[in-house]
Amino acid sequence: MLNLKSVKIEEVVNALERFAPLPLQEDFDNAGLQVGLTETEVSGALLCLDVTEKVLDEAIALGCNLVVSHHPLVFRALKRVSDSNYVQRCVIKAIKHDITIVSMHTNMDNALDGVNFKIAEKMGLQGVHFFAQKTVGDIEGGSGVVGDLPVPMDARDFISMLKTTFGVACVEANELLARPIRRVAICGGAGAFLLSDAIREGADAFVTGEMHYHDYFDHEQEVQICVIGHYQSEQYTKEIFQSIIEERCEGVKCYQSSVNTNPINYF
């Protein structure tokens, strides 16, 4: 019988942070340990985009004492812990059931082979590299990535591919580009701030999860803006977590959450 050594939560956290160092996170962020203790042995890791009460119920049912999320549960300082909102209720439930919650947010967005690289992989892009690069000490990262489609695509076909690949009900887009799309820039989540950088990179299309209304103006035939939804753009982050943990923390059982935490409905 295979005798796997026990792994502490701390070892899993360290593995995740070596892949996506916390100094890469944006100033506004609160990535890292959210709730709980790290010296405990891991009974299982549930991987998710958001922490909700249903996600914690799933972790309890699976016997997981570690939840790894993309979006931080505790984003702003808590002045009290009661039952007044889902964040506080989740903190209480996690502590009650000895569940540790760790979040890898903009540090995972900005990391090599992180969220944006995963999106590019799903789209089949080649030669993917950072744009809007940032360096923290000797750690290199970037807020977005850019790469090329193997074969140029008509704008309508490109949008159809996005809908199929990301399970999107609809894509918000500006005027359809008349030229073929070859170079694609990506920023998962809310990426409006990178639109100008994407254009300077020579991108034919810019794919992100959220854009503001006025950001669509004045870019007709300059770049194809494609907004696929915040949740949809980052949904495959769970796959990154799983590959890191399984590769670097042998023996830890990983489960991708089956709970769809997208708060937006499409009718």
Side-chain angles (χ1 to χ4, degrees), residues 134-145:
K134 62 184 296 179
T135 303
V136 182
D138 59 352
I139 306 169
E140 291 189 8
S143 299
V145 301

Side-chain angles (χ1 to χ4, degrees), residues 44-156:
L46 181 64
L47 317 174
C48 61
L49 200 65
D50 308 283
V51 181
T52 66
E53 292 166 276
K54 286 185 178 180
V55 169
L56 290 176
D57 288 338
E58 185 180 25
I60 294 165
L62 290 169
C64 295
N65 64 352
L66 174 62
V67 170
V68 180
S69 71
H70 182 45
H71 296 134
L73 172 65
V74 182
F75 201 82
R76 297 174 181 84
L78 296 178
K79 294 185 177 180
R80 66 181 63 86
V81 179
S82 66
D83 61 351
S84 62
N85 60 49
Y86 88 95
V87 173
Q88 295 178 42
R89 291 193 297 271
C90 283
V91 170
I92 292 171
K93 179 169 283 194
I95 292 172
K96 181 179 179 180
H97 292 275
D98 296 320
I99 295 173
T100 296
I101 300 172
V102 175
S103 301
M104 298 285 114
H105 190 211
T106 53
N107 55 318
M108 189 61 73
D109 290 331
N110 294 335
L112 180 66
D113 294 328
V115 176
N116 294 318
F117 284 87
K118 177 60 71 172
I119 297 169
E121 175 191 312
K122 295 295 181 179
M123 292 168 57
L125 299 188
Q126 300 175 339
V128 180
H129 58 276
F130 287 121
F131 73 97
Q133 287 180 274
K134 62 184 296 179
T135 303
V136 182
D138 59 352
I139 306 169
E140 291 189 8
S143 299
V145 301
V146 63
D148 296 325
L149 291 164
V151 178
M153 299 180 71
D154 170 80
R156 195 176 295 276

Side-chain angles (χ1 to χ4, degrees), residues 7-57:
V7 178
K8 291 184 177 181
I9 290 174
E10 181 182 32
E11 295 176 69
V12 177
V13 174
N14 288 341
L16 291 165
E17 291 183 2
R18 282 195 300 272
F19 184 95
L22 289 180
L24 283 178
Q25 72 177 310
E26 302 296 337
D27 293 340
F28 61 81
D29 204 4
N30 187 40
L33 180 65
Q34 304 284 295
V35 178
L37 307 175
T38 60
E39 283 296 314
T40 308
E41 183 179 334
V42 184
S43 62
L46 181 64
L47 317 174
C48 61
L49 200 65
D50 308 283
V51 181
T52 66
E53 292 166 276
K54 286 185 178 180
V55 169
L56 290 176
D57 288 338

